[in-house]
Amino acid sequence: MNEIRIWTYDWVPEFPRGLVRDMRLRWACEEASLPYVVQTIPFEGRETNHLDRQPFGQVPFMDDGDLRLFESGACLLHLAHKSDRLLPSDAAGKAEALQWMFAALNSIEMVSVPWWFLSMSSKADNELSGWLGKRLGQMENVLAEREWLAADRFTVADLLMVDVLRISKVRDFGERPATAAYIARVTDRPAFRKALADQMAHFQQADEMRA
């Protein structure tokens, strides 16, 4: 079996820990029992020190044997095809999971990330609040009627959607009980807890090495 290598930063400041997107790949590998190793690039100089692997200077990127990929969504899609724990094998279930993966990236995260950046500025009025509220309300309506997004069970679609929705500022933006229960249900999975603990430990160890 090819060795899966997940690349992330050697260190990050405290604020983004637990949210750096190698978390998505770690979590997928844990769910599917896919063996993997984590390797690092320096945080300092990150905008230019790995452009040969990620043309936008971001993480994560990954290796699977000779295959090289960047963008967390593309990496997740590749990993999902390795296990029906992540992606259903039947055509209908697979299509449903894939549509919700794209919805997480293109309908929710496309709004939530710029909204979050604007909310971190000193500007009191965030022009994207109405758009984000509408999209989160639409997701609330979906989640009020189903436990999982696809195939009546956990799939990679839930992994990705919850990783988008679990950002604290997004979670706190309005009262949405079905969404809150969904996030709690998915983040209570052992694979998520292990991936999160491992990422936090990775950066904690980096702190100790820098001390």
Side-chain angles (χ1 to χ4, degrees):
M1 179 181 291
N2 291 334
E3 182 176 58
I4 296 170
R5 295 175 181 265
I6 298 171
W7 292 81
T8 189
Y9 295 127
D10 60 349
W11 176 88
V12 296
E14 186 170 347
F15 179 73
R17 296 181 186 187
L19 302 174
V20 183
R21 289 178 182 168
D22 63 280
M23 174 67 192
R24 296 175 177 179
L25 311 191
R26 292 173 185 259
W27 183 5
C29 287
E30 295 292 344
E31 290 282 0
S33 299
L34 296 172
Y36 66 99
V37 297
V38 175
Q39 293 195 280
T40 64
I41 57 165
F43 180 75
E44 302 298 335
R46 62 194 177 279
E47 293 184 359
T48 58
N49 64 13
H50 61 290
L51 294 177
D52 60 324
R53 293 301 315 273
Q54 217 289 1
F56 307 106
Q58 300 170 321
V59 295
F61 51 93
M62 66 171 281
D63 307 324
D64 185 1
D66 293 331
L67 179 67
R68 294 183 167 192
L69 286 172
F70 68 90
E71 287 293 342
S72 63
C75 295
L76 274 180
L77 187 57
H78 174 74
L79 294 173
H81 278 97
K82 289 178 169 288
S83 173
D84 61 8
R85 297 184 199 174
L86 295 171
L87 192 64
S89 56
D90 66 288
K94 182 181 294 185
E96 192 174 24
L98 293 178
Q99 82 174 354
W100 281 108
M101 284 186 71
F102 285 106
L105 295 173
N106 294 340
S107 295
I108 305 298
E109 191 170 55
M110 184 182 72
V111 187
S112 64
V113 168
W115 174 87
W116 179 86
F117 276 109
L118 286 176
S119 74
M120 297 297 289
S121 73
S122 58
K123 193 172 182 180
D125 183 28
N126 188 329
E127 294 95 337
L128 297 181
S129 291
W131 190 15
L132 180 65
K134 179 179 179 180
R135 288 291 167 87
L136 294 179
Q138 291 165 328
M139 275 307 305
E140 174 72 6
N141 292 337
V142 171
L143 295 170
E145 297 181 350
R146 63 177 78 184
E147 186 173 5
W148 309 106
L149 291 178
D152 295 322
R153 66 172 178 86
F154 175 85
T155 68
V156 67
D158 300 296
L159 185 159
L160 187 52
M161 184 65 78
V162 164
D163 202 59
V164 171
L165 293 173
R166 71 185 179 93
I167 309 301
S168 59
K169 277 186 170 291
V170 176
R171 293 180 69 169
D172 295 339
F173 186 64
E175 294 290 329
R176 298 178 181 86
T179 302
Y182 174 64
I183 295 169
R185 181 166 60 250
V186 177
T187 57
D188 193 45
R189 296 177 67 83
F192 172 85
R193 296 199 304 268
K194 183 177 186 306
L196 179 61
D198 287 350
Q199 188 186 86
M200 298 299 287
H202 167 78
F203 293 128
Q204 179 62 40
Q205 185 179 31
D207 280 341
E208 295 167 1
M209 294 175 65
R210 289 163 66 97

